[in-house]
Amino acid sequence: MGNEVTFLLAFGAGVLSFVSPCVLPVFPAFISYITGMSYNEVENRTFNARAILHTLFFLVGFSLVYIALGFGTAFLGGLLIEHANLIRQLGSILIILFGLIIAGILNFNFLMNEVRLETGHSKLRQKKIQWYHIKFTEGVHDYG
């Protein structure tokens, strides 16, 4: 058997992820969104060519995005592996420099300055912007 992932194992993992509590409750809204039909129309099986066409275009677009992400990640991984020694050496130099700065042997004044972005918004507005940013970040994290 070894390290091979069989088709049956991959299919079973897909089915398990589909029936997970995070995905299954969203399924009716997902179907309505893809087909452009209400849930009752979908439930009554009044599918038409438009619904199938919407579904196909959605799946093709979704697949293309993840295929492009996969190719990009593979390309970036190849570059990192190809230049692993150089990255390791640069990282070592950077760690030594940081250590010398913390020890006080090196002193770069431009690194010791604090810079803040003034937005001109009130404190309440800034809190709201921070809250939306935090919620957006949580949503991206939960989706990923």
Side-chain angles (χ1 to χ4, degrees), residues 5-144:
V5 176
T6 64
F7 176 76
L8 188 60
L9 182 65
F11 183 77
V15 169
L16 283 176
S17 68
F18 176 75
V19 297
S20 70
C22 299
V23 176
L24 195 59
V26 182
F27 187 66
F30 176 69
I31 292 295
S32 295
Y33 179 74
I34 287 179
T35 61
M37 302 168 70
S38 71
Y39 182 69
N40 290 334
E41 290 174 328
V42 172
E43 198 173 48
N44 294 334
R45 298 182 183 179
T46 57
F47 280 120
N48 54 19
R50 185 187 69 157
I52 293 173
L53 190 64
H54 283 197
T55 304
L56 287 176
F57 278 127
F58 180 83
L59 291 175
V60 167
F62 202 77
S63 297
L64 286 177
V65 167
Y66 280 100
I67 288 170
L69 284 171
F71 280 133
T73 304
F75 177 73
L76 184 63
L79 283 178
L80 291 175
I81 288 172
E82 184 178 331
H83 300 292
N85 286 332
L86 176 64
I87 293 169
R88 188 177 308 116
Q89 290 169 355
L90 290 175
S92 300
I93 291 169
L94 193 62
I95 289 173
I96 291 169
L97 282 175
F98 285 159
L100 293 174
I101 290 170
I102 290 174
I105 297 170
L106 291 178
N107 188 9
F108 296 114
N109 288 333
F110 70 93
L111 290 177
M112 301 303 167
N113 294 331
E114 179 179 339
V115 178
R116 291 183 181 216
L117 179 63
E118 294 296 328
T119 60
H121 296 297
S122 67
K123 292 288 184 190
L124 180 62
R125 176 82 173 141
Q126 286 179 351
K127 293 282 186 195
K128 284 183 180 179
I129 291 171
Q130 290 172 350
W131 184 82
Y132 285 126
H133 181 261
I134 289 169
K135 290 303 173 186
F136 174 76
T137 307
E138 286 176 0
V140 169
H141 176 353
D142 290 344
Y143 181 73

